[in-house]
Amino acid sequence: MNQPTISLTVRNEITVEASQERAFEVFTAEIGTWWPLADKTIGDAEAEIAIIEPRAGGRWYERGVDGSESEWGTVIAYEPSDRLVLDWQISAGWAYDPELHTEIEVRFIAETEERTRVELEHRGLEAYGGDAEQMRQIFASPDGWSGILADYGKAS
């Protein structure tokens, strides 16, 4: 008898009281205003801002108060106001790893003119190898994507 397999994909969603366009803008252009930089950073310096460059091929990174930059990954798809796909290249040791590739897809679905459902899917966690299940648990925890989306929701 086959054992059921646990999906390594993490899914979260939040509904915000904002237009689809505004929800996308807050998530992307204003990420530096809501990302929890107090405890969700990888740089050596205190983080000042998180940045998503608004184009496919752009960078996704943090900038420290000293001007240093720490890469988080790249922008795979940038489709205002519908969809954003990011390459998350942060290792299980919480450092940038250019060889690691997992994907975060964020969809913005208008429910009304002023309400948007934001669906986040973090997939490809198999890339973590032996740390995959541990990383899935971290991303799926209340302090993971659901907590980060809650911070986003407050800013929307």
Side-chain angles (χ1 to χ4, degrees), residues 65-145:
V65 295
D66 64 355
S68 62
E69 294 181 350
S70 298
E71 301 291 328
W72 293 356
T74 57
V75 179
I76 297 170
Y78 190 86
E79 302 169 8
S81 297
D82 299 312
R83 179 174 169 256
L84 173 71
V85 182
L86 301 166
D87 189 7
W88 173 275
Q89 296 177 274
I90 298 175
S91 72
W94 303 106
Y96 175 70
D97 180 351
E99 302 303 313
L100 179 73
H101 301 281
T102 68
E103 283 186 0
I104 299 165
E105 180 172 7
V106 187
R107 291 193 173 272
F108 301 83
I109 299 131
E111 292 187 340
T112 69
E113 284 188 20
E114 292 301 322
R115 179 178 296 131
T116 304
R117 186 174 70 250
V118 179
E119 298 176 346
L120 183 144
E121 180 178 283
H122 194 163
R123 58 186 176 242
L125 302 182
E126 299 82 8
Y128 284 108
D131 294 321
E133 176 55 24
Q134 172 192 337
M135 294 305 289
R136 185 199 66 78
Q137 289 178 20
I138 290 169
F139 295 134
S141 75
D143 194 41
W145 285 118

Side-chain angles (χ1 to χ4, degrees), residues 19-78:
S19 69
Q20 183 182 19
E21 293 78 16
R22 179 72 184 136
F24 185 89
E25 180 180 333
V26 170
F27 198 99
T28 57
E30 298 178 20
I31 190 171
T33 66
W34 60 266
W35 187 269
L37 291 170
D39 63 349
K40 303 280 190 274
T41 66
I42 62 167
D44 292 331
E46 178 185 345
E48 179 178 45
I49 192 166
I51 299 165
I52 295 174
E53 293 179 342
R55 66 183 185 286
R59 297 183 310 143
W60 180 34
Y61 62 101
E62 69 186 67
R63 182 176 300 133
V65 295
D66 64 355
S68 62
E69 294 181 350
S70 298
E71 301 291 328
W72 293 356
T74 57
V75 179
I76 297 170
Y78 190 86

